[in-house]
């Protein structure tokens, strides 16, 4: 995936409301759908988007969850049916993007909005319940096509169809699959831990390396 200096488009902007999973009383914001027209993005993400479990989701370092069209194509093939934008709880779908080839610190600019990649999306029991497969989370992690979280460096309005510019991070390369599959202090040597702490990694993941 060679995106530097190239433009791509926003395939979909997705937003959701708090809903309960079947058989559950607690609510989740994972049920998202593509919206028509522009939405406002601030430091906390898409305005009016539901974030229910703030221990693991949301916050300035995980304000926007993004999937690439390559990711959705992979999961459509794997699951045997078309995966529509918002299915995994993502806020944006970007054409031509493969999250397995991105790094912490990479940036996307659309209109006035600037997003910076901060971490991989780590699967949880809520995702498995959404899919209806209790064993889906480890499959999602192993595949490496998880999508990624971003912080909002500059807010503004976003809408489907807008062009997006990509800027690769110039420093230490921390790939999204590394966060998914190796990101435990005991699985990284001291040189790797030191180097990865120099990246603009999300605070929840940074704490894992600092502990």
């Amino acid at each position: 995936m060679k995106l530097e200096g190239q433009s791509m488009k926003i395939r979909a902007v997705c937003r959701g409301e708090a809903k309960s999973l079947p058989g559950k009383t607690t609510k989740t914001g994972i049920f998202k759908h593509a919206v028509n027209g522009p939405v406002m993005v601030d430091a906390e993400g898409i305005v009016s988007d539901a974030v229910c479990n703030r221990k693991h989701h949301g916050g300035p370092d995980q304000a926007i969850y993004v999937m690439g069209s390559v990711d959705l194509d992979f999961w459509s093939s794997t699951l045997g049916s078309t995966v529509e934008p918002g299915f995994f709880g993502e806020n944006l779908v970007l054409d031509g993007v493969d999250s397995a080839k991105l790094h912490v610190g990479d940036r996307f600019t659309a209109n006035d909005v600037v997003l910076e990649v901060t971490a991989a999306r780590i699967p949880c029991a809520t995702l498995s319940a959404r899919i209806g497969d209790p064993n889906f989370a480890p499959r999602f992690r192993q595949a490496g096509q998880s999508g990624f979280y971003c912080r909002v460096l500059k807010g503004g309005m976003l809408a489907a169809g807008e062009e997006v510019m990509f800027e690769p991070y110039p420093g230490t390369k921390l790939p999204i699959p590394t966060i998914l599959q190796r990101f435990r202090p005991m699985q990284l040597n001291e040189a790797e831990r030191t180097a990865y702490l120099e990246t603009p990694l999300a605070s929840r993941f940074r704490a894992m390396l600092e502990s």
Side-chain angles (χ1 to χ4, degrees), residues 70-98:
V70 174
D71 303 314
L72 293 192
D73 289 345
F74 171 85
W75 287 113
S76 292
S77 176
T78 299
L79 297 175
S81 60
T82 300
V83 174
E84 298 293 342
F87 182 76
F88 291 111
E90 68 272 19
N91 300 114
L92 296 179
V93 178
L94 302 182
D95 275 328
V97 171
D98 179 350

Side-chain angles (χ1 to χ4, degrees), residues 41-64:
V41 176
D42 62 18
E44 293 291 327
I46 292 178
V47 174
S48 299
D49 182 47
V51 179
C52 298
N53 182 355
R54 291 192 174 272
K55 180 179 179 181
H56 300 291
H57 303 289
D61 285 351
Q62 297 179 187
I64 301 285

Side-chain angles (χ1 to χ4, degrees), residues 3-175:
L3 295 176
E4 184 174 5
Q6 297 183 19
S7 65
M8 65 207 76
K9 290 185 181 295
I10 299 175
R11 176 174 293 188
V13 178
C14 304
R15 185 168 56 194
E17 300 176 354
K19 294 183 179 180
S20 297
L21 287 160
K24 304 289 185 180
T25 57
T26 56
K27 292 188 175 182
T28 172
I30 199 171
F31 294 99
K32 302 195 191 301
H33 58 275
V35 298
N36 295 320
V39 299
M40 172 64 74
V41 176
D42 62 18
E44 293 291 327
I46 292 178
V47 174
S48 299
D49 182 47
V51 179
C52 298
N53 182 355
R54 291 192 174 272
K55 180 179 179 181
H56 300 291
H57 303 289
D61 285 351
Q62 297 179 187
I64 301 285
Y65 173 36
V66 186
M67 293 286 278
S69 63
V70 174
D71 303 314
L72 293 192
D73 289 345
F74 171 85
W75 287 113
S76 292
S77 176
T78 299
L79 297 175
S81 60
T82 300
V83 174
E84 298 293 342
F87 182 76
F88 291 111
E90 68 272 19
N91 300 114
L92 296 179
V93 178
L94 302 182
D95 275 328
V97 171
D98 179 350
S99 66
K101 296 181 179 178
L102 292 178
H103 305 85
V104 170
D106 290 345
R107 293 183 179 184
F108 295 90
T109 301
N111 201 354
D112 292 328
V113 177
V114 181
L115 305 178
E116 181 177 66
V117 178
T118 61
R121 189 266 182 85
I122 303 298
C124 60
T126 299
L127 179 61
S128 293
R130 169 76 170 99
I131 304 301
D133 177 0
N135 298 314
F136 184 73
R139 290 174 57 197
F140 190 83
R141 180 189 289 265
Q142 186 60 36
Q145 307 288 159
S146 68
F148 50 96
Y149 286 117
C150 291
R151 65 170 56 91
V152 179
L153 297 181
K154 184 179 179 183
M157 305 297 292
L158 283 182
E162 291 180 341
E163 290 196 351
V164 182
M165 296 299 296
F166 175 77
E167 179 185 354
Y169 182 60
T172 297
K173 301 298 184 184
L174 172 49

